[in-house]
Amino acid sequence: MKIFDLQSDFETNRPSLFPLLRRFRGADRPLLLRTDVADELDAFLALPEGLPLNGTVAEKLFRRTEEMIVQEGCLHMAVRLKVAEWCYFCIDIQNVCIGEQSASRFLQAKERMANGFNPEGDWALEIDLKPFERGFPVMKETGSIGKGVAFLNRHLAHSVSNRQGNRLLDFLKLHKYGDVQLLLNQQVKSIGELQQALRNVRRVLETVEPDAEWVDLVEQLPETCFEPGWGRRADTIRDTMGLLLDVLESPDASSLAEFLGRIPMVSRLAVLSPHGYFGQSGVLGLPDTGGQVVYILDQVRALEKQMRHDLHDQGLDIEPRIVVVTRLIPEAGQTTCNQHLEPIVGTENAVILRVPFRTENGEVVPHWISRFEIWPYLERFSREAEHELITHLEGRPDLVIGNYSDGNLVASLMTQRLGVAQCNIAHALEKTKYLFSALHWQQHEEEYHFSCQFTADLIAMNTADFIITSTYQEIAGTDEGVGQYESYQTFTMPGLYRVLQGINVFDPKFNIISPGADAEVYFPHTEAERRLDSLHDDIDDLIYGKAHPEARGELADRDKPLLFAMSRLDHIKNVTGLLRWYAECPALQDKANLFLVAGVVDPQRSNDSEERQQCELMHQLMDEYKLDSRVRWVKASSDRNFNGELYRRIADQRGAFVQPALFEAFGLTVIEAMSTGLPVFATRFGGPMEIIENGISGFHIDPNHGAEAARKMCEFFDRAAADENHWTRIAQGALDRVEAAYTWERYAANLLRLTRIYGFWKHISNIDREETRRYLEMFYGLLYRPRAATIKQ
């Protein structure tokens, strides 16, 4: 959208634009969001004086306006031309003229709108990481976002062919396991020597049996510079060396990626997840404890299996080790979160390592602490956890995976000291969950401490070597909505700092790798031989039994199918919203019962204020709409095997699963339900929009339009009653979708491939990144640490 075209269009349509601009000013709101601007625009275009603006450049501008600030006779506008492409304009209402302005000027206007007159003027500390991109590859096409490794492979191939050949040689000499050298020893001094040695060995390998193993071959090889790690069998060794010759001769993206994918550089992993109750049973549904725990445990099982497979194929008899580092909670209730070490079930050599939080005096904090209040403990935790981790692993990890804002910050601190690769997984970024959370951070500071969290996010995003997301939307949103990471691109926290570029979603560090559901637990309800029939009586009693202190409601009609939802009882999960939709739709009540597994039923049993509020609202709605004969609400269950069979039991009765969240970063319960063959209705905001093919493998619903969502559910049950194959078609579509895109096997293979490729990238670019690291250290020391120190310990 060129400014010349806008200026010309404004001049041409001045008579129609003037009343529209006055309308925006007269809306009596200092800040209009995209929907507000659209509503005012639509109302004006319906009037006779608005007709000339239809189809104009000006109309397109207003359609793309995400925020409009009405201030001092001007309209300051943040315009999102397309995904992750922003520009800023200022319109003089009286003179009907438009001009571009900088992001900084727009944020200044936003700060004045939020805080009024500032006696110190418009100066603020400005954070801008864009200058550090110079010399680093950045993508340009929106379709490339989240496909960073493919882009980076092409860049690396070009680098190797032009100037980085010797760095590749050095990289191959780096790899060791303990004191055992892998791949190459120091005898090779140049690329030419390496190429000749590879040719000599390949000629010998062509004369031996394909299944001959390295241990039997090594004495026959004509060169002594090669060490274990090229492969177990002769055919694999020959192929790997051939790939390296291709890379050295004429590198291309695919051959380089395949070769790097074979390097034995991943045998020890650290996974960080400090907040909540991290355990294998009895924790789900406790404060700050939900899908992230399930995700990590399934992730670890899949990674260990894949690492063992890779190491075997590489010819190494190395036992992979994975350590999940979390917080030790002495007052852990009925959980195991007070245990220092806990083996992870379903693995051979993975453990949970728990390290306590300590006060400034070094005393162990005995009780659970909200994820919003743990910031002052993390720096000390990172050092103590690092020491214990290295002791347990008997060396440095090859990769540190951070989870959520706190785990990612700890990963940043730890990897900067250890010099190892860092992977971030946000799961959910709080900034997009709470409207104007950055702008009004001071009002929320006592409860949420967003100043620490958003600062920690910026630091961790920019120190990470690569970032994994489950969906494209998580990075860059859609045409209609801003992505979670994109929201960190430009924003202000008035009185603290303004961010001109906090993260670039075109950075090749972003990659989409979607998780799956544990196939041993969540399998189709039609696989009768695997079903846990012994649980059916307990499940039926849970659904249809008498009301008791941990369950409310007693279903009167057992012949109706079930609408089923299972989640934490948080505001963002919107379980109370689903209950209200159901309560206000008699037609849906006639067609289905509502079964809710969420939080606790007795608010006195929760020490989380938000959960208690939602719990009390649930009871209020049940009372107000007299729902006890049509709704069954039970406390959350942490038994995954039980939950898997619960999904299948509801599928037996041709029910459906509902995920009504206001926003869902991914939607693991959606995958779980689909994996059992249960039709799913899920929020259109976030991951489920990409997981579900609407009308084929499930249905999208808008949580802001509950009546419409309830109508869709009515239509589904009507069609299922009229056509017995309709339910089956959607159920099979769900199973097919999961099998095609959402499995842990695929996830683990992709993550380990990224680890090797980004490990190489870290090696060849490490010197150039020193400036960024120093900038972020200053940001941490001057901003994060003082903010964290304000939180009471």
Side-chain angles (χ1 to χ4, degrees):
M1 190 171 290
K2 297 179 181 178
I3 187 63
F4 176 79
D5 294 334
L6 279 171
Q7 291 170 337
S8 175
D9 194 71
F10 266 57
E11 183 66 31
T12 301
N13 295 290
R14 179 187 174 96
S16 296
L17 279 168
F18 184 66
L20 173 61
L21 301 181
R22 287 173 55 84
R23 187 183 185 98
F24 287 135
R25 184 178 63 185
D28 198 29
R29 280 171 293 184
L31 175 60
L32 282 71
L33 298 180
R34 180 173 183 154
T35 53
D36 303 321
V37 174
D39 289 346
E40 294 292 342
L41 180 62
D42 288 338
F44 181 74
L45 293 179
L47 300 174
E49 56 265 38
L51 291 176
L53 290 182
N54 278 293
T56 62
V57 177
E59 184 202 357
K60 295 176 183 177
L61 173 76
F62 293 123
R63 295 282 182 207
R64 287 291 180 179
T65 299
E66 288 289 332
E67 294 181 342
M68 178 184 287
I69 298 168
V70 183
Q71 193 174 91
E72 300 168 354
C74 294
L75 302 177
H76 299 272
M77 298 160 57
V79 180
R80 189 171 181 253
L81 299 178
K82 58 181 180 179
V83 168
E85 185 176 325
W86 294 75
C87 54
Y88 302 90
F89 297 97
C90 181
I91 298 176
D92 184 317
I93 298 174
Q94 190 63 36
N95 296 309
V96 193
C97 60
I98 186 171
E100 280 192 271
Q101 63 178 352
S102 66
S104 179
R105 291 296 298 274
F106 173 79
L107 293 178
Q108 290 172 31
K110 198 171 182 179
E111 291 160 5
R112 290 195 297 273
M113 181 270 299
N115 290 349
F117 175 71
N118 181 2
E120 297 180 2
D122 290 325
W123 187 91
L125 175 64
E126 293 188 338
I127 307 300
D128 188 0
L129 286 147
K130 187 174 180 61
F132 296 102
E133 291 179 0
R134 288 193 295 265
F136 285 85
V138 176
M139 301 178 294
K140 296 180 180 178
E141 301 299 324
T142 57
S144 297
I145 293 173
K147 302 174 183 177
V149 72
F151 174 85
L152 193 59
N153 281 335
R154 294 191 291 272
H155 178 82
L156 288 172
H158 177 75
S159 297
V160 169
S161 64
N162 283 277
R163 62 184 184 278
Q164 302 289 7
N166 287 328
R167 287 199 179 181
L168 175 58
L169 176 60
D170 294 339
F171 181 68
L172 295 176
K173 296 178 182 180
L174 284 177
H175 303 292
K176 292 183 177 182
Y177 181 78
D179 295 328
V180 178
Q181 180 68 43
L182 304 177
L183 295 179
L184 278 181
N185 56 44
Q186 299 302 318
Q187 293 184 34
V188 180
K189 304 299 183 183
S190 69
I191 290 295
E193 288 181 19
L194 175 59
Q195 289 173 306
Q196 188 57 52
L198 288 167
R199 295 187 194 105
N200 294 340
V201 170
R202 287 196 78 218
R203 279 195 290 268
V204 172
L205 292 176
E206 288 171 355
T207 66
V208 303
E209 293 297 321
D211 59 354
E213 296 197 0
W214 170 270
V215 292
D216 301 318
L217 290 170
V218 64
E219 298 299 330
Q220 304 176 38
L221 299 182
E223 304 286 346
T224 59
C225 60
F226 295 106
E227 303 291 347
W230 295 92
R232 183 168 297 273
R233 292 163 43 110
D235 51 359
T236 303
I237 300 167
R238 186 176 62 245
D239 290 346
T240 303
M241 290 184 171
L243 280 170
L244 179 54
L245 279 169
D246 290 342
V247 168
L248 296 174
E249 178 72 21
S250 180
D252 61 67
S254 60
S255 60
L256 179 61
E258 188 174 355
F259 172 70
L260 292 175
R262 297 189 181 200
I263 292 180
M265 56 186 292
V266 189
S267 61
R268 293 178 288 205
L269 296 184
V271 181
L272 303 179
S273 182
H275 76 262
Y277 291 82
F278 197 102
Q280 299 179 81
S281 63
V283 299
L284 297 184
L286 293 177
D288 291 343
T289 309
Q292 181 173 314
V293 172
V294 176
Y295 179 112
I296 292 172
L297 290 173
D298 285 345
Q299 173 200 55
V300 166
R301 294 184 185 102
L303 284 171
E304 188 195 63
K305 183 178 179 181
Q306 186 65 46
M307 288 164 66
R308 181 168 284 107
H309 172 273
D310 291 350
L311 289 166
H312 178 271
D313 283 358
Q314 290 157 356
L316 302 174
D317 296 320
I318 294 173
E319 183 67 23
R321 297 183 178 186
I322 304 178
V323 177
V324 177
V325 182
T326 188
R327 185 200 158 195
L328 185 140
I329 307 174
E331 296 174 2
Q334 301 301 309
T335 75
T336 59
C337 295
N338 56 357
Q339 294 182 11
H340 179 58
L341 276 177
E342 181 182 354
I344 296 178
V345 176
T347 70
E348 296 184 33
N349 203 24
V351 300
I352 300 170
L353 170 65
R354 297 187 179 94
V355 178
F357 286 168
R358 296 186 186 274
T359 64
E360 291 178 348
N361 299 326
E363 297 176 356
V364 171
V365 179
H367 52 273
W368 166 84
I369 295 175
S370 163
R371 70 186 189 276
F372 295 115
E373 297 178 341
I374 65 174
W375 305 106
Y377 302 97
L378 294 182
E379 183 173 329
R380 184 166 187 161
F381 173 83
S382 76
R383 291 188 179 277
E384 188 171 341
E386 178 185 324
H387 174 75
E388 294 205 31
L389 177 67
I390 291 174
T391 300
H392 186 82
L393 289 176
E394 298 178 346
R396 297 184 307 169
D398 302 309
L399 173 70
V400 175
I401 302 174
N403 291 274
Y404 190 67
S405 301
D406 47 23
N408 288 330
L409 180 65
V410 174
S412 296
L413 297 173
M414 196 178 287
T415 56
Q416 293 306 307
R417 292 191 294 264
L418 294 176
V420 300
Q422 173 189 349
C423 167
N424 281 8
I425 304 174
H427 296 280
L429 293 166
E430 299 290 345
K431 187 170 177 292
T432 50
K433 287 185 182 180
Y434 301 86
L435 190 62
F436 304 133
S437 55
L439 185 64
H440 300 306
W441 69 274
Q442 289 166 311
Q443 290 94 311
H444 301 297
E445 190 67 358
E446 184 175 350
E447 182 176 7
Y448 294 120
H449 303 289
F450 286 142
S451 66
C452 284
Q453 183 149 21
F454 299 166
T455 303
D457 285 336
L458 284 171
I459 292 168
M461 289 174 192
N462 286 283
T463 57
D465 294 290
F466 63 102
I467 296 172
I468 290 204
T469 70
S470 299
T471 64
Y472 180 94
Q473 289 189 62
E474 192 176 339
I475 308 170
T478 65
D479 285 340
E480 291 77 35
V482 178
Q484 290 187 67
Y485 279 96
E486 185 185 2
S487 73
Y488 283 80
Q489 182 172 312
T490 303
F491 66 96
T492 181
M493 300 182 76
L496 189 62
Y497 56 77
R498 66 176 70 112
V499 177
L500 304 186
Q501 179 158 302
I503 190 68
N504 185 353
V505 298
F506 289 91
D507 193 309
K509 69 172 58 180
F510 285 101
N511 290 273
I512 301 167
I513 307 181
S514 299
D518 187 341
E520 296 299 315
V521 175
Y522 303 101
F523 54 85
H525 72 106
T526 53
E527 296 185 11
E529 70 283 357
R530 300 177 64 191
R531 296 287 298 270
L532 305 178
D533 296 341
S534 62
L535 296 176
H536 287 186
D537 288 345
D538 289 341
I539 290 173
D540 290 347
D541 183 64
L542 182 74
I543 300 172
Y544 297 109
K546 300 290 185 181
H548 56 81
E550 293 183 339
R552 176 164 181 180
E554 186 176 341
L555 301 178
D557 187 350
R558 295 182 57 156
D559 293 331
K560 292 179 184 177
L562 294 167
L563 268 177
F564 170 42
M566 179 164 59
S567 77
R568 297 192 312 275
L569 202 52
D570 294 345
H571 168 72
I572 200 74
K573 295 298 185 182
N574 198 34
V575 179
T576 53
L578 171 61
L579 182 59
R580 188 182 294 278
W581 305 345
Y582 182 82
E584 296 178 350
C585 185
L588 184 56
Q589 294 176 39
D590 289 341
K591 293 174 176 60
N593 292 318
L594 182 61
F595 178 51
L596 304 173
V597 179
V600 295
V601 179
D602 181 357
Q604 300 306 314
R605 290 178 176 266
S606 174
N607 58 357
D608 181 87
S609 60
E610 185 173 334
E611 183 180 48
R612 285 197 301 273
Q613 292 169 3
Q614 291 294 300
C615 185
E616 290 165 359
L617 180 56
M618 290 281 285
H619 285 291
Q620 179 184 325
L621 292 169
M622 294 279 285
D623 291 338
E624 179 182 350
Y625 291 96
K626 299 179 172 57
L627 295 172
D628 284 273
S629 65
R630 296 179 291 279
V631 175
R632 175 75 161 181
W633 168 30
V634 302
K635 73 168 187 175
S637 169
S638 60
D639 186 333
R640 293 206 308 156
N641 288 307
F642 186 91
N643 290 341
E645 193 61 30
L646 176 59
Y647 283 118
R648 288 185 288 273
R649 193 67 172 151
I650 293 171
D652 290 340
Q653 301 171 33
R654 300 174 76 81
F657 183 79
V658 187
Q659 209 277 29
L662 301 175
F663 178 84
E664 184 63 57
F666 179 60
L668 196 55
T669 55
V670 172
I671 296 294
E672 291 171 354
M674 293 171 69
S675 298
T676 63
L678 193 59
V680 173
F681 293 84
T683 180
R684 65 185 297 270
F685 298 115
M689 188 72 172
E690 294 179 36
I691 296 171
I692 293 172
E693 303 156 298
N694 192 45
I696 298 173
S697 54
F699 303 93
H700 300 147
I701 55 175
D702 187 336
N704 300 308
H705 296 89
E708 176 65 16
R711 185 189 64 77
K712 284 187 176 184
M713 296 174 205
C714 281
E715 288 181 355
F716 171 74
F717 285 115
D718 278 338
R719 288 193 62 184
D723 177 6
E724 62 181 18
N725 292 321
H726 180 64
W727 188 96
T728 304
R729 282 196 297 270
I730 299 299
Q732 188 59 50
L735 292 170
D736 293 343
R737 177 64 173 161
V738 169
E739 178 62 28
Y742 300 100
T743 67
W744 280 112
E745 292 79 6
R746 182 180 290 106
Y747 174 102
N750 285 337
L751 191 149
L752 293 174
R753 179 173 59 92
L754 293 183
T755 301
R756 298 178 182 108
I757 293 170
Y758 283 93
F760 178 52
W761 168 242
K762 183 180 182 72
H763 172 73
I764 69 171
S765 65
N766 193 46
I767 296 174
D768 300 325
R769 296 177 67 90
E770 181 69 15
E771 293 177 349
T772 309
R773 187 174 71 84
R774 290 298 186 186
Y775 183 84
L776 294 170
E777 281 181 354
M778 180 178 64
F779 191 32
Y780 176 86
L782 298 181
L783 279 167
Y784 173 83
R785 294 186 84 205
R787 294 307 310 170
T790 65
I791 302 174
K792 294 180 181 179
Q793 295 191 38

